[in-house]
Amino acid sequence: MAGDGVIETTEMAALAAQFVNSTARHVFLTGKAGTGKTTFLHQLARSTHKRYVILAPTGIAALNAKGVTIHSQFLLPFGSFIPERQLPADIPPYGNFHDRDTLSRRHPLNAVRRNVLRDVDLLIIDEVSMLRADLLDAIDHRMRSVRRVYDRSFGGAQLLLIGDLFQLPPVVKDDEWQVLRQWYNSMHFFESRALKEAGYAHIELDKIFRQQDADFIGILNNLRNNTVTAQDVEVLNAHYKAKISEQESEGVITLTTHNRTADEINERALAALPGKAHRFEAKVIGDFPQSMYPVLPELELKEGAQIMFIRNDMEKAYFNGKLAKVTAINKDGIQVKMLDNGMSYTLKTETWENKRYVVDGVTKEQKEEVLGTFEQYPVKLAWAITVHKSQGLTFDKAIIDVGHAFAPGQVYVALSRLRTLGGLILRTRIDPSVVSTDREVVAFSERRHAQQPLPEQLKEQQRQYLQAVLASTFDLGDILKKTGFTRKDHDAGEFEDESMKTALVRFSEKLQAEEANTATFRNQLLRLLHGADREKLLERIDKGGAYYGKLLRESMQDLLQHLAQVEQLSRSKQYADDLREIDGMLVKKLAMIAKAGRIAACILDGTEIKPMPEVEKELALARAALVGEVAHWAEEHKPKSSGKSGRTRKRRSADYVFAKEKKPKAEKGDTYRKTYALLKEGKTLAEAAAERQLSLGTLEGHAARGIAEGDVDISAVMEEAVRDHIADWMRDFPEKDLNGARGHFGELYSYGQLRMVQAWLKKEE
């Protein structure tokens, strides 16, 4: 399995894929070590018809899953999330705790993230054992807010949670837990309020591909379930060796519990080798944070060094976890010999990408945008690694040192890396007292037996999903609701151009005229569905799709023409953003209409719903052509106005004009002092910006100046965790270059926040 990443499709894997592709039910997919969870993820990503993003709790986990980190996608601040609108009075507002209001107000999503999350159907979260309950509730809040769907968990998007809870647990500090325990029974993801409210299908992959030895599998199962017997321990400790010979350790990796132990073993072994040490520097381009480095940026090797590949090769020369020995380092490169088969190989560098999901501005297709790259040889010294870093790897033979296991599941993870008991060498005896599994995890795992049988769940959820697809596809209410908010928030009547004044009104009225028809049509579809009249149902979907597709394409053209004129005017950015959101909703609705018939037919026939690239391509080409037509139209239809804003100027009385002319000129620096005064009153930067009717970026610039001059305390405008995260990077660069910091952090922090920390560091020095 580790060699080619292809496994046979088991009954449970097929069932899990059906839940994802043909229902809206949240899914927790788990399985013992070696059951193919990661392979399932990659196969699903290639085969699902849904628009998805892949997420993981850490940078390394995101790289392995070929996705992005949760914090980067949702722009979540460091610290803990309290699932309330406002923090209780006894929790300080500027500490490490955030509520729903502060998350929305002080840490808003940017347009790139908003566009992706509005359109996504499926959130895939890998390595979910490390995901904290409060973080999952923060994701729920973000999704409901950005999609404006407040009555459904995660704003109506589906979750696929993948991981083994018997492996790495979530991390929470004691002081944080003393607060969070008021809302959660534990920090495991399954205690999330949103998930407990919505429910989910608990699916466990049951075929083990890594081990074939029934006795060994039985011992591993007992380790997972906290049912280890004296005989199990005796069998394992029979592999203990007080002294391991050089011959026995040759070509064998050691798994240990602590980083420092693994580092010491590797450093000692490398130093003991004769010959010259060679160093190879990684090539880092763009934004690629250190927390995501897959290997050391400086790799030190000697001839004779034992190494491990940390990536799968596209040409199948190696796989993640394969061991090799360096045989030569010369002008021809680095030659190695594979330890399992003796084959020779010349190392090649590999490139890892730090990416983000974006929505194309023209076609509205979801794409991946590369922010930075990391190029290095895909190997690390491998006389020893930690149990933590061995997750997902497979070894034929290993020396295991878990006598000082400190976290639940460490012994299980270490032993489950091996294919057979015959490949086990114990450096320390296994103490039954450190063989432990989190009891809450065991109890949670057992609860899966109490859920409704999965085939029955699937049938019921498919029926609900098809009803929801038909009802939402031919419902224009969400678009009309957003249009109504936009008309209320922006007075288009201020435009001088008469056609621009009424453009959004005409757009809205055209769709409103269809409300009664769409309601009748939806009811007709649901009657046909309940009556099991397959042919008539599919015929009506097809005819309705043609009619409403034409209506929406015409409406989209009207909207894009209005947007093209608005974009030529100043003081209209927010209005234009709202129009783009309506445009995105039209695009999504057209895609739903184009796919509804295929989805209905597959569910009714019990067949797999496959991706529809031809539909996506046709929609993208039509969209690109329409955008081109509108751009040409806009050149000939400039807004008729006498000013840059295109808006009528409000008349002012003579007294007002006279008073304005006589108003004394503000003293130099007065604008900064006004900002400082508001901050000293306890107002946030966002509140001060609103009161002064200035942008948040302008106020951040004021704060940076105030920090430099000693008039503003940085703790009043920035959380300590954010300050320290930026400062830790800046301290390594004497010039504290803002452009370099911007390149490193990307959009995680604003330019103003970087300036504030820069000013604070310079003042501290």
Side-chain angles (χ1 to χ4, degrees):
M1 180 188 68
D4 57 15
V6 177
I7 64 172
E8 61 185 89
T9 300
T10 66
E11 180 183 354
M12 298 307 288
L15 191 63
Q18 284 184 287
F19 265 98
V20 172
N21 284 320
S22 61
T23 82
R25 181 76 159 165
H26 301 319
V27 176
F28 169 47
L29 181 75
T30 188
K32 301 179 178 70
T35 51
K37 295 182 294 295
T38 299
T39 303
F40 174 87
L41 186 160
H42 296 317
Q43 290 179 345
L44 179 79
R46 292 192 295 269
S47 63
T48 184
H49 67 96
K50 295 184 177 181
R51 182 174 282 196
Y52 65 86
V53 294
I54 299 175
L55 307 158
T58 67
I60 297 300
L63 283 179
N64 291 337
K66 300 179 183 177
V68 301
T69 64
I70 289 169
H71 280 81
S72 67
Q73 180 60 56
F74 291 96
L75 294 184
L76 297 173
F78 293 95
S80 299
F81 178 73
I82 302 297
E84 303 287 356
R85 182 159 299 283
Q86 291 185 327
L87 294 175
D90 59 339
I91 300 177
Y94 294 103
N96 289 327
F97 296 93
H98 314 280
D99 54 38
R100 293 201 295 265
D101 280 353
T102 56
L103 193 60
S104 300
R105 189 175 67 251
R106 298 172 60 195
H107 305 280
L109 286 171
N110 57 30
V112 172
R113 269 72 172 188
R114 285 199 307 271
N115 290 340
V116 169
L117 296 176
R118 281 178 189 139
D119 290 348
V120 77
D121 304 306
L122 174 66
L123 300 177
I124 303 174
I125 304 181
D126 196 24
E127 297 291 4
V128 74
S129 67
M130 294 187 284
L131 178 64
R132 285 172 33 165
D134 64 319
L135 189 59
L136 191 53
D137 279 335
I139 293 172
D140 171 64
H141 170 64
R142 278 283 203 231
M143 293 297 289
R144 293 189 199 222
S145 299
V146 76
R147 295 158 76 94
R148 294 190 174 87
V149 178
Y150 298 100
D151 59 344
R152 296 173 62 194
S153 64
F154 303 94
Q158 183 183 25
L159 289 186
L160 170 60
L161 307 165
I162 302 176
D164 183 0
L165 290 176
F166 293 86
Q167 299 193 22
L168 286 178
V171 177
V172 59
K173 297 176 182 176
D174 289 342
D175 57 334
E176 290 178 293
W177 174 238
Q178 292 308 312
V179 174
L180 290 170
R181 65 191 303 176
Q182 300 174 53
W183 290 271
Y184 301 104
N185 294 325
S186 79
M187 276 289 90
H188 292 293
F189 81 90
F190 51 78
E191 293 294 345
S192 153
R193 284 184 164 191
L195 197 62
K196 290 171 80 171
E197 173 192 322
Y200 50 91
H202 187 148
I203 303 176
E204 181 167 342
L205 300 180
D206 50 4
K207 182 177 174 65
I208 297 175
F209 295 90
R210 184 175 294 146
Q211 294 94 16
Q212 304 299 323
D213 180 347
D215 292 337
F216 189 27
I217 290 174
I219 292 174
L220 292 175
N221 286 342
N222 289 345
L223 283 168
R224 279 175 68 92
N225 300 328
N226 275 344
T227 57
V228 177
T229 66
Q231 184 180 357
D232 292 334
V233 175
E234 184 179 344
V235 170
L236 292 174
N237 282 334
H239 294 267
Y240 165 71
K241 295 200 173 183
K243 188 172 183 181
I244 302 171
S245 68
E246 189 174 322
Q247 184 178 2
E248 288 174 309
S249 63
E250 179 69 20
V252 180
I253 194 165
T254 295
L255 302 187
T256 187
T257 51
H258 291 74
N259 276 308
R260 66 174 181 274
T261 306
D263 291 342
E264 287 170 2
I265 292 172
N266 287 325
E267 290 167 6
R268 194 163 55 243
L270 185 67
L273 290 175
K276 178 183 176 183
H278 300 262
R279 292 175 176 81
F280 304 91
E281 294 283 344
K283 185 177 181 181
V284 183
I285 299 175
D287 177 21
F288 203 105
Q290 291 183 17
S291 61
M292 291 183 68
Y293 286 0
V295 291
L296 292 173
E298 182 180 82
L299 177 65
E300 184 177 355
L301 296 176
K302 286 183 180 180
E303 292 181 3
Q306 183 166 298
I307 59 169
M308 180 179 73
F309 289 91
I310 55 93
R311 195 172 189 179
N312 294 332
D313 179 40
M314 294 292 290
E315 299 174 357
K316 308 295 192 289
Y318 54 81
F319 55 83
N320 189 10
K322 191 178 183 76
L323 296 174
K325 176 176 283 190
V326 177
T327 55
I329 303 176
N330 51 41
K331 60 182 178 61
D332 297 322
I334 305 171
Q335 285 79 47
V336 303
K337 181 178 72 173
M338 305 300 183
L339 293 182
D340 57 353
N341 56 23
M343 288 184 62
S344 295
Y345 180 76
T346 301
L347 290 186
K348 295 180 293 187
T349 60
E350 290 273 8
T351 300
W352 289 262
E353 295 177 343
N354 175 31
K355 64 186 182 183
R356 67 175 177 179
Y357 295 102
V358 298
V359 175
D360 186 276
V362 175
T363 65
K364 296 299 179 181
E365 293 178 288
Q366 182 175 293
K367 297 183 177 180
E368 294 176 358
E369 179 182 286
V370 177
L371 302 175
T373 58
F374 179 98
E375 183 181 352
Q376 178 61 289
Y377 291 107
V379 298
K380 65 195 322 181
L381 294 178
W383 284 282
I385 61 170
T386 61
V387 173
H388 183 145
K389 292 175 182 175
S390 74
Q391 284 203 161
L393 303 181
T394 302
F395 303 111
D396 291 319
K397 198 172 185 179
I399 298 168
I400 291 181
D401 181 6
V402 288
H404 296 93
F406 60 89
Q410 275 193 319
V411 174
Y412 166 73
V413 173
L415 292 173
S416 62
R417 300 308 95 200
L418 286 164
R419 294 186 190 277
T420 67
L421 262 175
L424 173 63
I425 301 173
L426 288 179
R427 175 164 280 157
T428 52
R429 293 183 187 277
I430 289 180
D431 180 352
S433 67
V434 301
V435 178
S436 65
T437 301
D438 190 322
R439 295 187 182 278
E440 290 179 345
V441 168
V442 175
F444 165 76
S445 184
E446 286 302 311
R447 290 202 294 272
R448 78 183 187 280
H449 299 301
Q451 69 179 335
Q452 182 184 11
L454 290 171
E456 294 178 18
Q457 275 195 63
L458 178 64
K459 187 175 180 179
E460 171 66 18
Q461 292 294 326
Q462 284 179 327
R463 183 182 64 80
Q464 292 182 20
Y465 177 65
L466 182 51
Q467 284 185 346
V469 166
L470 296 179
S472 61
T473 297
F474 299 100
D475 182 2
L476 306 178
D478 53 346
I479 298 173
L480 286 168
K481 187 176 181 180
K482 172 60 183 175
T483 305
F485 283 135
T486 303
R487 289 174 59 187
K488 182 179 178 181
D489 293 342
H490 308 280
D491 184 6
E494 291 183 7
F495 287 120
E496 292 184 54
D497 191 308
E498 288 299 321
S499 67
M500 293 184 69
K501 287 182 180 181
T502 60
L504 203 55
V505 175
R506 297 195 307 271
F507 171 87
S508 180
E509 289 177 346
K510 187 173 185 177
L511 296 185
Q512 282 176 337
E514 291 291 334
E515 278 197 290
N517 290 338
T518 54
T520 301
F521 185 66
R522 289 196 304 274
N523 290 333
Q524 184 184 41
L525 292 180
L526 294 177
R527 281 198 305 272
L528 291 171
L529 176 62
H530 293 150
D533 192 342
R534 178 188 183 281
E535 297 307 319
K536 187 68 173 176
L537 173 64
L538 296 180
E539 178 190 332
R540 295 302 296 155
I541 292 173
D542 186 52
K543 288 185 177 179
Y547 176 80
Y548 288 109
K550 181 175 182 294
L551 171 72
L552 292 179
R553 284 190 293 273
E554 291 172 352
S555 298
M556 180 183 289
Q557 182 169 9
D558 295 339
L559 183 76
L560 288 176
Q561 288 177 349
H562 181 46
L563 175 60
Q565 290 188 313
V566 170
E567 287 177 329
Q568 298 178 55
L569 303 171
S570 62
R571 286 176 43 204
S572 297
K573 182 180 183 303
Q574 186 57 56
Y575 182 48
D577 285 345
D578 285 343
L579 294 180
R580 291 188 194 98
E581 185 176 341
I582 298 170
D583 174 43
M585 296 171 78
L586 288 171
V587 172
K588 187 171 184 178
K589 189 70 70 176
L590 280 167
M592 291 170 65
I593 288 173
K595 296 176 180 179
R598 182 92 62 89
I599 291 171
C602 289
I603 292 178
L604 293 173
D605 297 343
T607 58
E608 180 184 357
I609 307 174
K610 294 183 178 179
M612 306 176 206
E614 71 285 356
V615 174
E616 300 279 0
K617 185 176 181 180
E618 183 180 343
L619 289 171
L621 289 173
R623 164 81 184 179
L626 179 58
V627 170
E629 290 173 16
V630 169
H632 182 71
W633 176 90
E635 291 178 1
E636 300 177 358
H637 295 79
K638 303 284 185 184
K640 298 172 184 177
S641 63
S642 58
K644 290 182 179 180
S645 71
R647 300 174 187 272
T648 55
R649 295 188 179 184
K650 294 182 179 178
R651 297 176 179 271
R652 297 188 176 104
S653 67
D655 289 342
Y656 176 86
V657 173
F658 179 77
K660 185 176 180 183
E661 289 174 352
K662 294 294 183 180
K663 185 178 179 180
K665 187 176 180 180
E667 293 182 21
K668 187 175 181 180
D670 188 50
T671 186
Y672 298 104
R673 285 190 287 274
K674 288 179 179 178
T675 297
Y676 302 160
L678 291 174
L679 295 176
K680 286 175 182 175
E681 290 175 11
K683 286 184 168 57
T684 66
L685 282 172
E687 291 167 343
E691 183 165 330
R692 298 207 58 199
Q693 296 186 330
L694 297 172
S695 71
L696 180 59
T698 299
L699 268 288
E700 286 178 339
H702 291 184
R705 173 168 169 164
I707 291 167
E709 295 174 348
D711 291 320
V712 174
D713 184 349
I714 193 171
S715 64
V717 293
M718 182 178 292
E719 296 168 352
E720 184 178 333
V722 173
R723 180 199 70 194
D724 292 345
H725 189 223
I726 299 171
D728 288 345
W729 185 87
M730 283 189 170
R731 285 192 181 98
D732 293 334
F733 299 87
E735 66 281 358
K736 296 172 183 58
D737 176 45
L738 289 178
N739 289 329
R742 191 69 165 161
H744 174 73
F745 291 111
E747 295 186 1
L748 183 58
Y749 302 117
S750 69
Y751 193 77
Q753 287 175 303
L754 300 178
R755 283 186 62 195
M756 285 188 272
V757 176
Q758 180 194 52
W760 176 70
L761 284 174
K762 287 183 176 180
K763 184 167 179 60
E764 290 289 298
E765 291 172 358

